[in-house]
């Protein structure tokens, strides 16, 4: 499979602060990326996606940035809330089908 | 969107035995995917299950150990054969919904 890694395995932030989660991917041909959130005991849930023809995409309180030059993704969460505490994964689609390859994961803890 | 149901949600099995995990989707999908998530780890793609053809396995996974069935467009099974404690993981079924991948809640397997 592809190699998709995250820089930080854990992240703790104060409630109300912004969070930034980073991800590196290895396949320069990948053209589609998704960030997933996984709460304890549940399957991953879609947060936001971005295609390789974009540098930035915004959702509700979340922004994904894509830097194709250095093969780097980031997820920014604004005004982090306790409900944001979870493990976050980036996943890449390498154009060979609809399967995704997942990064290591970052555990986000929001401190009230 | 797609709703995915997995059975069983969890099981404790003796080493050397086999367990078959079922995945039911509420809509017809061409491709279904099976992932493994070992404790504290990310998701690793096991195989892609296509209806009407043999599953495609990722490097490190073989059909004898993880046989897959795909009898129709809404159902698939993954069997974990001749289990050992190293097979203790969460196994997740996933489908491609056109714009994102959807996941089941997972089957938490413990091998003793």
């Amino acid at each position: 499979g592809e190699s998709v890694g995250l820089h930080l395995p854990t992240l703790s932030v104060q409630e109300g602060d912004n969070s930034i989660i980073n991800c590196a991917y290895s396949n320069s041909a990948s053209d589609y990326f998704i960030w997933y959130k996984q709460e304890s005991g549940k399957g991953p849930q879609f947060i936001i996606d971005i295609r390789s023809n974009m540098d930035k995409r915004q959702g509700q309180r979340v922004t994904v940035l894509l830097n194709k030059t250095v093969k780097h993704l980031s997820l920014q969460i604004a005004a982090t809330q306790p409900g944001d505490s979870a493990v976050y994964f980036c996943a890449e689609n390498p154009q060979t089908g609809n399967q995704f390859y997942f990064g290591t994961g970052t555990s986000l803890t929001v401190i009230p | 969107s797609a709703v995915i149901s997995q059975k069983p949600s969890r099981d404790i099995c003796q080493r050397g035995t086999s367990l078959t995990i079922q995945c039911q989707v509420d809509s017809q999908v061409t491709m279904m995917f099976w992932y493994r998530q070992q404790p504290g780890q990310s998701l690793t793609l096991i195989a892609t299950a296509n209806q009407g053809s043999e599953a495609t396995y990722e490097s490190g996974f073989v059909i004898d150990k993880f046989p897959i069935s795909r009898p129709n467009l809404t159902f698939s099974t993954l069997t974990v054969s001749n289990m050992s404690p190293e097979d203790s993981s969460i196994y997740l079924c996933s489908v491609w919904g056109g714009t994102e991948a959807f996941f089941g809640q997972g089957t938490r397997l413990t091998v003793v």
Side-chain angles (χ1 to χ4, degrees):
Chain A
E2 305 300 332
S3 172
V4 182
L6 294 179
H7 296 310
L8 296 174
T10 62
L11 178 65
S12 295
V13 299
Q14 289 291 138
E15 180 178 359
D17 287 351
N18 297 332
S19 303
I20 299 176
I21 301 171
N22 296 303
C23 175
Y25 63 95
S26 62
N27 189 340
S28 57
S30 292
D31 67 346
Y32 186 50
F33 305 87
I34 296 181
W35 279 99
Y36 282 92
K37 173 184 181 183
Q38 187 177 29
E39 297 175 276
S40 181
K42 298 183 179 180
Q45 291 181 296
F46 174 94
I47 301 173
I48 191 168
D49 61 353
I50 190 168
R51 293 204 173 270
S52 60
N53 61 352
M54 303 171 70
D55 296 323
K56 179 180 180 179
R57 187 149 191 242
Q58 287 185 292
Q60 186 177 12
R61 285 201 305 117
V62 295
T63 301
V64 56
L65 300 177
L66 174 62
N67 185 331
K68 296 179 287 294
T69 302
V70 295
K71 293 184 286 187
H72 183 269
L73 277 166
S74 69
L75 176 70
Q76 300 177 3
I77 305 174
T80 314
Q81 303 169 359
D84 295 327
S85 294
V87 178
Y88 290 80
F89 297 99
C90 66
E92 73 176 312
N93 175 249
Q95 293 191 50
T96 56
N98 296 130
Q99 63 271 46
F100 282 83
Y101 296 95
F102 280 73
T104 308
T106 293
S107 177
L108 175 66
T109 300
V110 181
I111 303 166
Chain B
S1 65
V3 177
I4 302 172
S5 301
Q6 277 188 240
K7 290 181 182 179
S9 59
R10 58 178 63 229
D11 207 342
I12 301 173
C13 300
Q14 296 290 323
R15 66 180 66 199
T17 64
S18 298
L19 176 71
T20 295
I21 302 168
Q22 300 179 6
C23 178
Q24 180 76 51
V25 188
D26 69 342
S27 57
Q28 294 185 338
V29 293
T30 305
M31 300 170 78
M32 296 175 76
F33 307 94
W34 287 98
Y35 287 84
R36 180 176 73 183
Q37 187 174 26
Q38 294 178 301
Q41 301 294 316
S42 184
L43 285 75
T44 301
L45 181 65
I46 298 172
T48 302
N50 301 311
Q51 197 272 332
S53 63
E54 281 197 4
T56 304
Y57 289 82
E58 297 292 311
S59 176
F61 297 96
V62 295
I63 188 171
D64 290 346
K65 176 67 176 178
F66 298 101
I68 288 171
S69 79
R70 183 80 201 275
N72 57 54
L73 292 173
T74 64
F75 187 79
S76 178
T77 68
L78 170 76
T79 299
V80 186
S81 303
N82 188 24
M83 287 183 285
S84 66
E86 291 72 35
D87 294 320
S88 297
S89 285
I90 298 172
Y91 293 84
L92 296 115
C93 172
S94 174
V95 302
W96 178 245
T99 56
E100 66 178 271
F102 295 91
F103 288 84
Q105 296 295 327
T107 296
R108 184 178 295 270
L109 170 63
T110 302
V111 183
V112 297

